Amino acid sequence: MHPFRTAVENRDEAAIEALLAEDVVFTSPIAFKPYPGKAVTAAILRAVMRVLEDFTYVREIADPGGRDHALVFTATVDGKRIQGCDFLHLDEDGLIDDFTVMVRPLSAAQALAAAMGAQFDRIALEASEASEAAGA
């Protein structure tokens, strides 16, 4: 089992963040442009943990080299069942440097977009504070 999966299943925010490379790029299923950087990616993942209910990984797929992983999940958002996949790529140090999420069906993706939109100000504040702390 990949350590990221274990961290998510344990809802261990510190462990999740520790697995992210500083230059990680997060590609959202609901935003047009990717989000670069550890601070914003960690803030987004914390928000996801707040809005998705009954989150469960149901399958894990890895390439033979161990640098690419697909973690299939199910969850509920605003009463809608969602199915998705986290695609992770690991850098030479074993840290996540590329994180892409895809979800279905459309109605659940729209519910996720609305729920995450309501978290946007908090995500921006957390990312800003983390960036400032890292620079200090």
Side-chain angles (χ1 to χ4, degrees):
M1 186 177 325
H2 192 275
F4 180 81
R5 177 179 179 173
T6 302
V8 170
E9 290 176 343
N10 291 330
R11 301 185 65 78
D12 186 341
E13 294 176 1
I16 291 168
E17 188 167 351
L19 292 167
L20 301 174
E22 289 297 328
D23 63 347
V24 63
V25 175
F26 180 84
T27 304
S28 164
I30 55 177
F32 177 72
K33 65 178 187 161
Y35 294 92
K38 183 175 184 172
V40 71
T41 299
I44 290 168
L45 294 175
R46 285 191 297 272
V48 168
M49 288 181 18
R50 290 190 296 269
V51 303
L52 290 182
E53 301 169 10
D54 306 319
F55 185 94
T56 305
Y57 282 119
V58 295
R59 188 175 322 134
E60 182 173 339
I61 304 162
D63 77 89
R67 292 189 59 190
D68 288 292
H69 296 266
L71 304 173
V72 181
F73 65 86
T74 61
T76 305
V77 60
D78 195 27
K80 300 206 182 303
R81 195 75 179 142
I82 193 166
Q83 180 183 38
C85 190
D86 293 336
F87 295 96
L88 312 177
H89 180 269
L90 309 180
D91 66 13
E92 297 80 23
D93 298 321
L95 298 175
I96 299 166
D97 64 357
D98 188 68
F99 192 125
T100 299
V101 181
M102 294 189 184
V103 296
R104 64 163 304 278
L106 179 58
S107 60
Q110 290 168 329
L112 178 61
M116 290 300 291
Q119 296 283 319
F120 184 79
D121 289 343
R122 183 171 175 183
I123 291 168
L125 178 63
E126 287 180 11
S128 175
E129 289 173 348
S131 293
E132 289 175 12

